[in-house]
Structures are given as structure tokens and as C-alpha cells.
Amino acid sequence: MSNDALRARYASVLERVAAAVAAAGRRPEEVRLVAVSKLHPAEDVAETAAAGQVDFGENYVQEALEKRAFLRERGLCADVRWHMIGHVQSRKAAQVAGAFALVHTLDSVKLADALERHMPDGAVQPVLIEINVGDEPQKAGVPAAEAAALAAHVQEKCPHLALEGLMCLPPVFDAGEAARPYFARLRRLRDALRAECGLPLPHLSMGMSGDFAAAIAEGATIIRIGTDIFGPRPPKK
Ligand SMILES: *Cc1c(COP(=O)(O)O)cnc(C)c1O
């Protein structure tokens, strides 16, 4: 995509996000936009960062690290914060631990332990627990009923992980208001978990291109937008 087209799309997303935040009676600083750049070239990340975007989300560990290296070598995007929003296999934990501002997709005790083991001394990795909010059999994320046990494990056994909230991908895609009950469910689960474990759990990572307004209305603090900023994704090679 041309840089002009990319900047226009980005500006339009910022406007629509601001409108949704205002419509929900919330303050702009309560909602952080993560630009989801998976499968898009590092040049588009650099251009969007030059336009002022700080947070970028990637789904694949290798691609994320390669893009980060590409930008670093060119002295670009020193301020960029990288988010891991895709499934992380435990055997990749060494590459992920400490490499991302936030890991949105903690989904097992095994992964928590693997990340914990690979964290450098004195460092802390912020994480969110991914909840399978639609109780779909094949979907990533822990069932809502198991969230408290995983949270307790992180709290008790993983001093190098900081649990900051919950993330979800609802079963309906690009369906706007239809996703809203799932966002409400994630918020209620977070509130219950907060009371149970005593952590503040400030973050709800929910809402994508097709449904971010509904997510913001239900309390999202982090929205993850790819297509509306970068255009349709090229196929994964
Ligand atoms: C790809 C992806 C997004 C972005 O989705 P769009 O519909 O392109 O905005 C958000 N969250 C996760 C977890 C993703 O994998």
C-alpha cells in the first residue's frame, strides 16, 4: 500500500476509535490501540510508527522478531512497543520471554512455567490470560471456569510474570454488536477474578476491526486493529 493510503486509513481508524470512546462516555487515555501488523511488511510498520502509532501486535514469534530486527537495524521505531497476540507454543517461550511489552495469549500452566523459566533475573513480563469466551472446542484460550486456577498459579509460582488482565477473540468475527455479549462476559469474568485474586487486572484486550466499538462500549482498554489500518492481509506463506 502507498504511504499516503496507509496514513489515510490510519487517520480514519483513529477518528472512528475516538468517536466510539466518546460515545461510550469514556476518556481517550482509557483505550490503547494496538495496530496488528501480522503478515504486513515491516515498512508499513515503520510508516505507521512515523505517523505516531506506538503499539504493534504480531501473531507469529519468528515474524515479530524479524520485523523488530529489521526496524532496529535501520534505527526506526525505537519507541515502538511490541505485543504478542498469537498463540505461543511452550517450546518458543525462550524467544518470547522478555521480548514483548505485553503477551496477550497466556493460555496454560505449561506456558506460564516456560515463560517464567526463561525470564532474566530482575525482569518482569506483563501477561494477559486468553479466555475462550465462547467455549468453542477447537479455540485457543482457557475456559472461563479455569481462569482463576491459572491466575492463582501465575500469582503463586511465577514471580517474573505480572498478570494484568484478560484477552479474548469472540466466536463471531466482523459482526459488530453480535460480539458484544462476549465482551460483556469477559468484563464480568475480569471483575470476578479481580475480587478473587486481589490483583487490579486493569486490562481487557478485546475488539478488532469489525467490532471495536462494541468492545469499547463494554470496557476494552486495549483494542487490536489490523485490516482497517493495513488493508487485507496477504496469505501466510
Ligand atoms: C489478526 C488479529 C487481529 C486483527 O484483526 P482485524 O480483523 O484484521 O482487525 C486482532 N487480534 C488477533 C488476536 C488477531 O489474530
Side-chain angles (χ1 to χ4, degrees):
M1 193 184 316
S2 77
N3 284 345
D4 283 350
L6 183 55
R7 285 202 179 227
R9 292 181 77 103
Y10 177 58
S12 151
V13 165
L14 291 183
E15 270 174 33
R16 289 162 56 217
V17 169
V21 169
R26 301 181 60 198
R27 285 176 289 123
E29 62 272 23
E30 290 176 36
V31 182
R32 184 186 302 173
L33 168 64
V34 171
V36 177
S37 46
K38 62 166 178 265
L39 306 179
H40 292 289
E43 287 85 350
D44 287 0
V45 172
E47 183 62 21
T48 314
Q53 178 62 21
V54 174
D55 293 276
F56 290 86
E58 287 281 339
N59 291 58
Y60 311 105
V61 177
Q62 200 56 37
E63 180 185 343
L65 298 179
E66 281 170 16
K67 247 177 232 177
R68 199 174 57 168
F70 175 95
L71 294 165
R72 273 201 184 148
E73 281 159 18
R74 286 157 185 78
L76 299 166
C77 309
D79 300 336
V80 160
R81 284 197 296 256
W82 294 94
H83 296 247
M84 175 44 68
I85 65 170
H87 177 67
V88 179
Q89 292 165 304
S90 301
R91 63 184 174 81
K92 299 236 172 107
Q95 290 166 276
V96 171
F100 292 87
L102 182 61
V103 175
H104 293 227
T105 46
L106 180 65
D107 61 359
S108 68
V109 164
K110 189 177 172 199
L111 178 58
D113 288 344
L115 289 171
E116 170 68 23
R117 209 166 36 246
H118 290 291
M119 282 303 292
D121 261 347
V124 169
Q125 174 65 65
V127 297
L128 307 178
I129 293 178
E130 179 176 3
I131 303 294
N132 182 351
V133 79
D135 295 319
E136 297 169 277
Q138 300 306 322
K139 192 88 162 251
V142 301
E146 291 168 26
L150 181 52
H153 180 85
V154 171
Q155 238 182 326
E156 288 157 22
K157 301 283 185 353
C158 305
H160 295 85
L161 304 187
L163 182 58
E164 297 196 340
L166 304 180
M167 175 270 207
C168 77
L169 268 160
V172 283
F173 270 82
D174 290 329
E177 282 291 308
R180 190 157 169 169
Y182 298 101
F183 298 143
R185 185 173 190 220
L186 195 72
R187 174 171 43 75
R188 286 195 303 270
L189 182 64
R190 188 275 309 270
D191 294 348
L193 206 56
R194 179 193 268 167
E196 197 164 333
C197 72
L199 291 171
L201 304 180
H203 286 302
L204 288 172
S205 168
M206 57 189 195
M208 309 172 24
S209 291
D211 55 19
F212 67 81
I216 287 170
E218 290 296 344
T221 62
I222 302 174
I223 53 175
R224 311 177 307 264
I225 300 184
T227 307
D228 279 6
I229 297 174
F230 296 106
R233 277 180 284 279
K236 185 162 165 50
K237 285 182 204 102

